[in-house]
Amino acid sequence: GENVEQHPSTLSVQEGDSAVIKCTYSDSASNYFPWYKQELGKRPQLIIDIRSNVGEKKDQRIAVTLNKTAKHFSLHITETQPEDSAVYFCAANAGGTSYGKLTFGQGTILTVHP
Amino acid sequence: GAVVSQHPSRVICKSGTSVKIECRSLDFQATTMFWYRQFPKQSLMLMATSNEGSKATYEQGVEKDKFLINHASLTLSTLTVTSAHPEDSSFYICSAPKSAGELFFGEGSRLTVL
């Protein structure tokens, strides 16, 4: 089955700096790669996603890049703000099946210091 | 937008009892729903795929007789943790895909088994 590795496990930045979180996946048939932000005790919130037919997607301060050949994808947050502090998860779908069946990375605790 | 609702949000039970968690899609029909479990400070792990009108598909290592899943209608899936024990204490989250590209998570249910 799919295996998703996420790094780093913790990331501490100063307000205004950029943050980058990286993930690798194992199933070459995976074609949907969402990123979620989760606050303590709450449901994951989709912040951005990318499909395998594009290499990059951007939404204001957030961008995601995908390298299908290397099977890795990254989340980039620019101009970080304290409210960006949360746990971030990458995920990949089970290739060839429903895009809703996701395998999650281990998570990254992002702390943005004012 | 589409909403997926879970109930209860929190439940405390005694060891040996059974607990039922409901997952409802409020404004769309979901023939498939997914159940995840999240232990403290860990990632979301897919437990099973709930299929309307047929048996659930369980991930490797998840006991189907312990975690009973029933998807009796197009808007409701239930997860019953049978004979719960303290090690079953966790955050259980469901998700439902509305259409290609839209996946919604429930609010989650925190189970504490005493």
Side-chain angles (χ1 to χ4, degrees):
Chain A
E2 175 70 281
N3 183 46
V4 178
E5 297 287 332
Q6 182 173 346
H7 298 280
S9 57
T10 60
L11 180 58
S12 184
V13 300
Q14 289 296 127
E15 183 176 3
D17 288 350
S18 295
V20 180
I21 303 170
K22 298 181 179 181
C23 288
T24 60
Y25 62 99
S26 61
D27 188 350
S28 57
S30 293
N31 57 11
Y32 176 64
F33 308 93
W35 285 89
Y36 291 93
K37 176 183 181 182
Q38 187 181 32
E39 296 178 351
L40 189 63
K42 297 191 176 180
R43 76 181 98 191
Q45 288 182 302
L46 178 69
I47 55 172
I48 197 167
D49 57 12
I50 193 167
R51 298 186 186 277
S52 60
N53 57 345
V54 297
E56 185 173 359
K57 184 177 178 181
K58 188 174 182 180
D59 182 5
Q60 299 182 340
R61 296 188 295 112
I62 296 172
V64 57
T65 59
L66 171 65
N67 183 326
K68 285 173 56 181
T69 303
K71 296 212 237 358
H72 66 71
F73 55 114
S74 301
L75 176 72
H76 304 253
I77 305 175
T78 58
E79 301 173 33
T80 55
Q81 301 166 1
E83 49 266 38
D84 293 330
S85 298
V87 182
Y88 290 81
F89 292 98
C90 63
N93 70 324
T97 63
S98 168
Y99 73 93
K101 186 176 179 180
L102 300 175
T103 298
F104 285 80
Q106 296 87 344
T108 297
I109 301 172
L110 174 63
T111 304
V112 181
H113 299 281
Chain B
V3 176
V4 172
S5 179
Q6 261 183 261
H7 178 81
S9 58
R10 286 188 175 86
V11 57
I12 301 173
C13 70
K14 293 182 179 180
S15 187
T17 60
S18 294
V19 174
K20 180 185 285 188
I21 301 170
E22 294 185 345
C23 179
R24 293 182 186 274
S25 54
L26 298 185
D27 60 355
F28 66 98
Q29 295 181 334
T31 57
T32 302
M33 293 184 178
F34 301 93
W35 286 96
Y36 292 85
R37 179 170 53 185
Q38 186 177 30
F39 291 112
K41 298 184 179 181
Q42 293 189 24
S43 187
L44 288 81
M45 297 296 292
L46 180 66
M47 298 175 66
T49 303
S50 176
N51 304 298
E52 188 269 335
S54 65
K55 292 183 179 180
T57 306
Y58 291 83
E59 295 300 302
Q60 192 173 6
V62 177
E63 300 174 58
K64 61 181 181 181
D65 293 331
K66 177 148 186 77
F67 299 100
L68 301 179
I69 292 173
N70 184 15
H71 197 142
S73 77
L74 288 169
T75 59
L76 174 64
S77 175
T78 60
L79 168 68
T80 301
V81 183
T82 62
S83 187
H85 291 283
E87 57 265 30
D88 298 323
S89 298
S90 188
F91 193 50
Y92 293 88
I93 310 176
C94 67
S95 70
K98 181 179 180 181
S99 61
E102 291 188 289
L103 180 67
F104 296 91
F105 281 87
E107 305 96 326
S109 300
R110 183 161 303 282
L111 170 63
T112 302
V113 185
L114 303 176

